[in-house]
Amino acid sequence: MSLVTTRAWSAAGAAALLLAASAALPGTAAGAARTPPAVVNCAGSISVNVHPLTGAVDGKSGSDFRCATPDQSFPAVLTISGSVTGSGDLFFTTRTTDSLKRTDTGQVVTFSIDRRFDRDNSGATGNATERGSGSQANDSGTGFFGTGTGLVTFAVNNNYLLDVHT
């Protein structure tokens, strides 16, 4: 029969408790679910239609739209829907509820964002800038605009970046 000291039992018990506690933490045990990332960064292009007569706003990301977290990159689709909250000769402010859908898994994140679209002239076409912010997301980019019947389309295709806090 071997004798084990109280000190040895205390050390063994402490080691067992640490091992059990670490196995219960998310993402530490094999096969355990990982906690979602804090920020999803996206880049590509968006096209947004502003309807000044009705106040509607709608838009969608281009086929080049991709997002990333610190450990993965994936294709996504951004859908934009909302309304005009203000306007002037060379700008529109909007509030939209957007959905960001991962095309590989179907996972969707919905968020609200206030955007400002500026154009460089009051003509039919020209250069444009866009920037937006909200409690869950912010974005910015540059591109061009074009007008149609009761419609101004902003093609934000240069340096468009979207950060979504999940």
Side-chain angles (χ1 to χ4, degrees):
M1 178 172 155
S2 72
L3 294 173
V4 179
T5 66
T6 305
R7 176 175 277 170
W9 275 112
S10 296
L17 284 174
L18 285 173
L19 182 59
S22 68
L25 294 174
T28 58
R34 297 188 60 175
T35 57
V39 177
V40 176
N41 305 107
C42 302
S45 62
I46 60 171
S47 178
V48 179
N49 299 310
V50 176
H51 306 269
L53 300 176
T54 65
V57 177
D58 60 77
K60 198 166 194 175
S61 59
S63 61
D64 62 341
F65 205 72
R66 289 197 63 84
C67 298
T69 64
D71 60 349
Q72 60 183 304
S73 174
F74 50 89
V77 173
L78 178 67
T79 303
I80 299 166
S81 179
S83 60
V84 173
T85 58
S87 64
D89 289 343
L90 300 177
F91 75 92
F92 293 98
T93 56
T94 67
R95 172 162 292 159
T96 61
T97 299
D98 299 0
S99 61
L100 179 64
K101 179 180 180 180
R102 284 184 65 146
T103 57
D104 58 346
T105 66
Q107 179 183 11
V108 176
V109 175
T110 302
F111 56 92
S112 293
I113 188 167
D114 295 325
R115 290 187 171 95
R116 180 179 171 111
F117 295 91
D118 289 295
R119 46 191 188 166
D120 67 347
N121 68 67
S122 58
T125 62
N127 295 315
T129 60
E130 180 275 341
R131 63 188 173 280
S133 64
S135 63
Q136 241 188 306
N138 53 39
D139 70 348
S140 66
T142 61
F144 61 92
F145 75 91
T147 60
T149 305
L151 169 70
V152 180
T153 299
F154 291 89
V156 184
N157 56 1
N158 294 320
N159 302 315
Y160 179 75
L161 300 173
L162 168 68
D163 297 325
V164 180
H165 308 274
T166 60

